[in-house]
Amino acid sequence: MKAGLIGYGNMGSWHVEEINKRIDGLEVVGIYDIEPERRKLAEDAGIKAYESAEELLNTDIELVIIATPNNFHKDYSIMAMKAGKNVVCEKPACLNSEELEEVIKVSEETGKLYTVHQNRRFDVDYLIMKEIIDKQTLGKLFFLDSRLYSNRGSSGRWRSTYEAGGGTLYDWGIHMIDQVLTLIDSEPEYVSAQLQSVRFPKVDDVCRVNISFKNGVRAQVIADLWCYIPEPRWHLSGDDGTATIYEWFTDNGKIIKANIKEVDWEQGCVYTPNGLSKTMWPRPKQEIEELPLPKPSKEPRWEDFYENVVATIKGEATQIVTHDQVRRSMKVMMAAFESARTNQTIKI
């Protein structure tokens, strides 16, 4: 199956290289980028570069991958589907829910596949969390922390520009929201968020999003680009224990579970210079057990995404990143922006 790409920047060139190297039955044969130097880089890499998006779409490609700045996602997605092409769009799908509905409507009218490249569903740390939750290893889940930290700030260029859809929530927050929404088997109900601009005044460098689900589970998403002492990547709490993964994109972590549910409040106290506490007295070691993290039941394979895209276009599968999932993530993200703007909790 032949594919074309619009937006041959860092992420776009990665798509081309990885697809042509790792995905059987799919090849990127042409690209378009607004910048002549990027088109030359593609030609130097042996990829046909077109002078316009229209010229690329007027070929026999079946799939278009869109990896442009975020404010072009809607227009290029619609243009491609109206030209008879299927679409994989980089995240975020669009700048807001209204734009997304326009795109989904065209997908439904044309019968062309439209999906979003939520590649972080294939990270090993996410899949381990999914394994723990699906198997109820910690009992009844009540709180989930998902956190990513950097101390480098925003990368600049369009990602630091409000008009282009820059900022941490659009960039990493949408990945983390998608992960949380696919981990918790319930609908999100309330969202509260804080966004902070450290370096670039109109876009957020730090986003903190709290999501309340209808089943009572609470989740916190933090993406902080100005943090020099990071907290663990994941922290999962259930009524039987706790699980944590320390570093992003790894399986470095542990599970602590309680062997004895009933607490003996007469065991002891923590004594401090300014008072004592029974609440903070740790459980005796014989009452808890430390377990290794489970292996994911499914191998972390990014290839699954594009293999599913090809199979879906051929009518042999259904897409794994669905319209409704993208809608739900977009609603949460829009609620987060509104919450930060108004300093209020927003009902979905």
Side-chain angles (χ1 to χ4, degrees):
M1 185 177 294
K2 295 179 182 179
L5 178 130
I6 299 176
Y8 192 71
N10 288 337
M11 197 64 195
S13 58
W14 183 88
H15 276 275
V16 173
E17 181 178 350
E18 295 302 314
I19 288 171
N20 288 352
K21 180 172 62 178
R22 297 164 61 181
I23 308 299
D24 292 334
L26 182 65
E27 182 183 7
V28 180
V29 297
I31 69 97
Y32 164 68
D33 194 284
I34 194 171
E35 297 182 359
E37 58 268 28
R38 299 304 305 182
R39 298 199 295 271
K40 184 178 185 305
L41 284 174
E43 294 278 5
D44 291 344
I47 307 295
K48 170 69 175 176
Y50 292 88
E51 296 296 314
S52 69
E54 291 81 1
E55 186 181 1
L56 171 65
L57 295 175
N58 194 32
T59 66
D60 62 349
I61 59 173
E62 294 183 58
L63 175 68
V64 173
I65 301 151
I66 297 169
T68 63
N70 300 334
N71 56 322
F72 293 102
H73 287 182
K74 183 198 81 167
D75 290 343
Y76 279 132
S77 295
I78 289 174
M79 181 189 302
M81 287 186 288
K82 287 187 173 181
K85 315 302 181 185
N86 301 284
V87 170
V88 167
C89 185
E90 261 301 331
K91 55 76 200 169
C94 297
L95 292 182
N96 54 57
S97 294
E98 291 74 21
E99 287 189 356
L100 176 61
E101 291 305 322
E102 289 183 55
V103 173
I104 291 175
K105 182 180 179 182
V106 174
S107 173
E108 293 170 346
E109 289 174 349
T110 60
K112 293 300 175 182
L113 173 127
Y114 169 77
T115 192
V116 177
H117 183 236
Q118 291 292 357
N119 52 314
R120 295 304 169 188
R121 293 191 191 182
F122 308 97
D123 288 341
V124 65
D125 52 313
Y126 162 79
L127 292 173
I128 290 171
M129 286 292 108
K130 183 169 176 55
E131 189 80 7
I132 293 170
I133 292 171
D134 289 349
K135 291 188 175 179
Q136 299 181 321
T137 304
L138 305 180
K140 184 179 180 181
L141 180 68
F142 63 87
F143 203 88
L144 170 63
D145 265 313
S146 172
R147 301 176 287 219
L148 280 173
Y149 297 95
S150 170
N151 54 27
R152 295 170 59 85
S154 175
S155 60
R157 298 196 72 190
W158 68 264
R159 293 186 186 277
S160 305
T161 305
Y162 174 79
E163 292 77 11
T168 306
L169 181 53
Y170 274 131
D171 188 17
W172 272 104
I174 191 62
H175 272 312
M176 301 166 76
I177 289 169
D178 176 77
Q179 287 181 329
V180 167
L181 294 184
T182 53
L183 287 173
I184 308 302
D185 187 22
S186 182
E187 288 300 312
E189 190 171 21
Y190 295 98
V191 174
S192 63
Q194 299 82 41
L195 306 180
Q196 292 176 283
S197 300
V198 180
R199 182 181 177 192
F200 299 98
K202 290 188 177 182
V203 299
D204 58 292
D205 302 285
V206 180
C207 69
R208 298 173 183 265
V209 182
N210 290 280
I211 307 169
S212 300
F213 291 85
K214 291 183 178 180
N215 66 355
V217 176
R218 305 290 186 266
Q220 178 179 224
V221 166
I222 298 176
D224 186 340
L225 303 187
W226 289 100
C227 179
Y228 293 83
I229 305 176
E231 298 172 290
R233 170 66 182 93
W234 295 94
H235 194 271
L236 184 62
S237 298
D239 62 358
D240 281 350
T242 303
T244 189
I245 297 179
Y246 302 119
E247 301 166 307
W248 60 351
F249 319 135
T250 74
D251 58 359
N252 179 19
K254 63 183 178 182
I255 294 172
I256 301 290
K257 292 189 66 173
N259 289 324
I260 300 174
K261 290 292 189 70
E262 294 300 321
V263 176
D264 181 0
W265 288 99
E266 302 306 319
Q267 287 175 340
C269 292
V270 174
Y271 290 88
T272 76
N274 299 314
L276 57 84
S277 172
K278 285 190 174 184
T279 306
M280 294 304 165
W281 179 260
R283 286 177 181 259
K285 290 183 178 180
Q286 65 268 21
E287 292 188 9
I288 59 175
E289 61 177 331
E290 181 174 328
L291 304 173
L293 293 172
K295 297 293 183 183
S297 58
K298 188 175 183 180
E299 181 187 355
R301 290 185 72 251
W302 169 80
E303 293 91 336
D304 286 350
F305 177 82
Y306 273 108
E307 288 171 2
N308 171 260
V309 166
V310 172
T312 301
I313 293 171
K314 292 181 176 181
E316 300 169 355
T318 56
Q319 64 193 78
I320 55 178
V321 181
T322 69
H323 290 177
D324 283 342
Q325 289 173 344
V326 177
R327 278 185 172 115
R328 194 167 61 152
S329 295
M330 182 65 69
K331 286 179 181 179
V332 170
M333 186 169 66
M334 290 299 100
F337 278 121
E338 181 68 7
S339 173
R341 186 184 68 82
T342 62
N343 199 28
Q344 295 181 352
T345 296
I346 305 299
K347 191 176 191 303
I348 296 292

